[in-house]
Amino acid sequence: MILSTIALSLLVIQGEPPKPEKEHEWLKQFEGNWETSMTMGGQEEKGTETAKLKHGGLWLHMEVKMGAKEEFSGSGHLGYDPKSKKFQMAWVDSMSPRLQISEGTLDKAGKVLTLDTEMDMGAGPVKAKWRWESVDKETKKFSISSMSGDGMDAKEEEMIVVTYKRKK
């Protein structure tokens, strides 16, 4: 009840809710049901992802399950903030008690979205890059790379690669 009162008050103060922009439209290509194949440390895991634009078309909601017994599960919201001109994401999963927050930009060709984040995989925080690539209408790719060093000395090491094939 309290949340609906707050939401109604914000709508009255702000006026019309925001409309999706071209960056939100870009996210539409990732909607759907996907079969996934993840490689990490030489091992491969199969899984699924369901992704759908929600909240007025502003946020892509993703649900991921991996492993024979779905040992890994995660969900996230990916959207675009017109004020900062950056994509933003909030992610939670069964491998970490931390909320992952990331932000970044789309390359000029409109194919690769790179988000900067900080991950803690048990040994302390590590700077990382998360990338989504639109390969074609039936395929997308996601990767996580760790970053070490700063500036010109920064080195990037790919840790995880996930290939998605649209379910038929």
Side-chain angles (χ1 to χ4, degrees):
M1 181 70 170
I2 293 172
L3 286 178
S4 44
T5 303
I6 292 170
L8 184 59
S9 298
L10 286 173
L11 187 58
V12 169
I13 291 168
Q14 290 182 333
E16 290 293 313
K19 302 280 187 237
E21 301 198 9
K22 68 178 182 174
E23 291 82 2
H24 297 104
E25 295 295 318
W26 184 85
L27 294 171
K28 275 188 180 181
Q29 68 189 318
F30 295 140
E31 279 191 301
N33 297 312
W34 302 85
E35 293 177 346
T36 65
S37 176
M38 177 185 76
T39 55
M40 179 173 134
Q43 295 183 345
E44 184 178 2
E45 283 288 341
K46 300 287 186 186
T48 61
E49 179 187 85
T50 301
K52 182 163 180 56
L53 277 170
K54 294 188 171 192
H55 313 298
L58 300 174
W59 294 95
L60 182 70
H61 176 75
M62 299 165 282
E63 288 282 337
V64 175
K65 295 178 183 171
M66 286 198 182
K69 297 178 183 174
E70 298 182 352
E71 298 88 18
F72 175 84
S73 64
S75 63
H77 279 83
L78 173 61
Y80 180 76
D81 176 13
K83 209 172 222 179
S84 69
K85 298 194 181 321
K86 292 193 178 200
F87 285 86
Q88 298 177 334
M89 182 172 182
W91 177 263
V92 293
D93 63 46
S94 59
M95 299 300 285
S96 173
R98 286 185 67 201
L99 172 66
Q100 291 290 149
I101 301 291
S102 55
E103 72 173 15
T105 57
L106 188 60
D107 71 343
K108 289 180 182 175
K111 291 275 187 189
V112 180
L113 172 62
T114 302
L115 302 179
D116 295 311
T117 191
E118 189 173 275
M119 300 173 63
D120 189 344
M121 299 181 76
V126 174
K127 290 181 182 178
K129 291 198 178 291
W130 292 4
R131 287 193 178 87
W132 280 267
E133 179 181 357
S134 172
V135 177
D136 58 45
K137 289 184 179 190
E138 304 300 315
T139 312
K140 65 180 178 174
K141 181 181 166 186
F142 171 71
S143 64
I144 298 177
S145 297
S146 64
M147 303 300 295
S148 60
D150 289 319
M152 298 297 285
D153 296 327
K155 293 194 180 0
E156 187 171 338
E157 181 181 343
E158 199 169 67
M159 301 176 348
I160 298 171
V161 176
V162 184
T163 302
Y164 298 76
K165 294 285 185 184
R166 193 177 296 279
K167 284 187 179 182
K168 305 264 179 204

